[in-house]
């Protein structure tokens, strides 16, 4: 039997760049493509393998680019297609890959397709979106709630029907049951794949098809008013429909025609339904259904152990895992669990079995950021202000150095910098051997040097209080990862026969292993081969 070639993304690490906040090159306080290009040496030196760019397409920016007005161009804020071509060439010249964000569920309400669709009931593009008559007694067609709160239905006075929007009313949902929509969106994928992109992160993939009869969604019995209004209902009929899996398989087949291209699908579902997005070996779907379980899990060893084991157990035999601890949608990991545990989280992310995705700025340990009310921008915040779920605080600009505006821009950035930017910035952390940045670089270098950490087998030890303990093994190399998630020193029960050769990394200061784990300490130990 021919040995399976390991594709780049199974060994690789993905780095998410939020383009508005990486580097400004034209003095408008907003990051852009030329800025990203200028910072590529930093990305390469970090030791990651691929960059995923959040959307860069023309957009009115109601949801900061997740409202696309033209899928095949670049917003002037970010540059133009020439700047994109230069960027992708520069990315490839450094041996890196480039993933774009594909936003198939909805367009902007300013997309020419929607402008046509809403122009009259008999417009040829009417059925490209989801239009419905009012309910028999009047009012919205069903009880569906937008992910940002409020009804999913928006009344269109001119044509006397409602249209569906799973997010903002400025983001009308496309009708993926219409073959013309599918063909148009396939053309979009061909456009970018032909331009050389190495794959896509696919936005809210599990949303793209709705139940044909549009029944009410059931009430969620566990909902309480302190969480988002979206969760009042279980999204049984508005998401995760069988036809969406079929489309995901079609996208995979299309990407496959271009060789080793990667599809990462944004999927928020419980483990077992999540795993169905891998498809089958005969009819594969996305390579990596994005796995948000670490973001959603309480930060303690018992929960994390269960999450990791359940996820591993849910994977189909051919399915490659992936992990993520931060994104432009989630609170900063260091804000959530503190800096000491953020180092433990970094070690966890980069030593679990599966492709890690690292979010820009987490490698600096950016934590809580104060956003004064007058500078808040996130539409999710404005729709439910009392919930404190605004995403601006994880979208603040990269602090590069201690010069004015942290070297991000020559003028005031679109969002404030992290409060501690004069000391927490790339240049300062490069000088400090103990910094979060140098810790990430060390972990990423180790991962590259020790295939056991990327493609090795994974064995979780049984429960041990606040400690997570697992072994990664590959071709005779055995590494043990010990993570103390608690505030007390502990003596983990490493097996008697196990002799530790070396400490490859510590979240604290490097030291010989003496059988003890300090509070907040994580270690990667190299073990002697098993007798
Ligand atoms: C995804 C994006 C998020 C966006 C939403 C609507 O969840 O990550 O930022 O608001 O989709 O497109």
């Amino acid at each position: 039997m021919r040995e399976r070639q390991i594709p780049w993304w199974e060994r690789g690490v993905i780095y998410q760049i939020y383009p508005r906040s990486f580097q400004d090159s034209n003095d408008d306080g907003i990051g852009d493509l030329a800025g990203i290009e200028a910072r590529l040496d930093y990305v390469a030196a970090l030791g990651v393998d691929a960059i995923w760019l959040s959307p860069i397409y023309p957009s009115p920016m109601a949801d900061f680019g997740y409202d696309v007005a033209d899928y095949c161009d670049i917003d002037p804020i970010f540059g133009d297609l020439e700047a994109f071509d230069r960027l992708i060439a520069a990315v490839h010249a450094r041996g890196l890959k480039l993933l774009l964000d594909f936003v198939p569920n909805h367009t902007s309400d300013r997309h020419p397709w929607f402008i046509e669709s809403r122009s009259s009931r008999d417009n040829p593009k009417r059925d490209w979106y989801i239009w419905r008559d009012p309910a028999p007694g009047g009012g919205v067609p069903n009880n569906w709630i937008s992910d940002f709160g409020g009804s999913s239905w928006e009344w269109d006075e001119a044509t006397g029907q409602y249209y569906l929007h799973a997010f903002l009313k400025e983001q009308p949902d496309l009708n993926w049951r219409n073959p013309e929509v599918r063909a148009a969106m396939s053309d979009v994928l061909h456009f970018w794949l032909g331009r050389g992109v190495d794959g896509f992160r696919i936005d809210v993939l599990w949303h793209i098809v709705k139940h044909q009869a549009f029944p009410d969604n059931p009430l969620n019995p566990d909902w309480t008013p302190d969480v988002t209004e979206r969760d009042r209902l279980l999204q049984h009929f508005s998401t995760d429909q069988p036809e969406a899996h079929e489309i995901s398989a079609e996208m995979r087949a299309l990407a496959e025609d271009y060789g080793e291209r990667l599809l990462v699908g944004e999927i928020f579902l419980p483990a077992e339904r999540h795993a169905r997005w891998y498809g089958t070996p005969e009819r594969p779907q996305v390579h990596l259904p994005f796995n948000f379980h670490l973001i959603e899990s309480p930060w303690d060893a018992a929960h994390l152990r269960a999450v990791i084991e359940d996820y591993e157990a849910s994977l189909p035999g051919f399915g490659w895992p992936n992990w993520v601890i931060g994104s432009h949608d989630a609170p900063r990991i260091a804000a959530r669990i503190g800096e000491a545990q953020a180092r433990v989280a970094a070690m966890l992310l980069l030593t679990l079995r599966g492709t890690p995705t690292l979010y820009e700025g987490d490698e600096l340990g950016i934590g809580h950021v104060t956003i004064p009310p007058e500078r808040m921008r996130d539409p999710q915040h404005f729709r439910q202000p009392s919930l404190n779920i605004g995403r601006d605080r994880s979208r603040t600009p990269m602090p590069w150095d201690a010069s004015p505006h942290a070297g991000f821009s020559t003028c005031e950035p679109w969002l404030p910098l992290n409060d501690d930017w004069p000391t927490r910035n790339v240049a300062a952390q490069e000088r400090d051997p103990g910094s979060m940045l140098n810790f990430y670089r060390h972990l990423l270098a180790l991962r590259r040097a020790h295939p056991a950490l990327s493609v090795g087998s994974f064995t979780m030890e049984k429960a041990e209080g606040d400690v997570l303990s697992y072994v990664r093994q590959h071709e005779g190399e055995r590494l043990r990862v010990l993570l103390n998630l608690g505030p007390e020193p502990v003596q983990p029960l490493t097996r008697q026969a196990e002799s530790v050769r070396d400490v490859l990394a510590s979240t604290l200061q490097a030291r010989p292993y003496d059988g003890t784990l300090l509070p907040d300490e994580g270690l990667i130990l190299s073990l002697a081969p098993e007798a």
Side-chain angles (χ1 to χ4, degrees), residues 63 66 106 148 167 201 203-204 266 328-329 391 395:
D63 192 19
Y66 286 95
H106 43 265
F148 291 153
F167 295 87
R201 175 268 193 185
D203 190 62
V204 297
E266 188 193 14
H328 65 296
D329 293 330
R391 299 170 294 180
R395 298 176 175 181

Side-chain angles (χ1 to χ4, degrees), residues 373-451:
E374 70 280 6
R375 296 208 53 187
M376 291 184 177
R377 306 288 298 272
D378 178 21
Q380 174 167 281
H381 162 76
F382 292 113
R383 294 193 55 82
Q384 301 176 80
S386 62
L387 294 181
N388 195 23
I389 51 172
R391 299 170 294 180
D392 293 323
R393 53 198 155 179
S394 38
R395 298 176 175 181
T396 59
M398 276 291 279
W400 293 101
D401 54 44
S403 68
H405 311 298
F408 167 74
S409 179
T410 52
C411 62
E412 185 60 33
W414 74 288
L415 279 177
L417 291 155
N418 48 304
D419 313 53
D420 52 357
W421 69 270
T423 50
R424 187 181 299 281
N425 60 57
V426 170
Q429 293 208 6
E430 277 179 335
R431 290 190 297 267
D432 171 6
S435 68
M436 185 71 102
L437 177 58
N438 279 317
F439 181 57
Y440 260 101
R441 285 181 174 169
H442 180 55
L443 288 173
L444 286 159
L446 271 183
R447 202 181 151 89
R448 202 172 289 278
H450 298 268

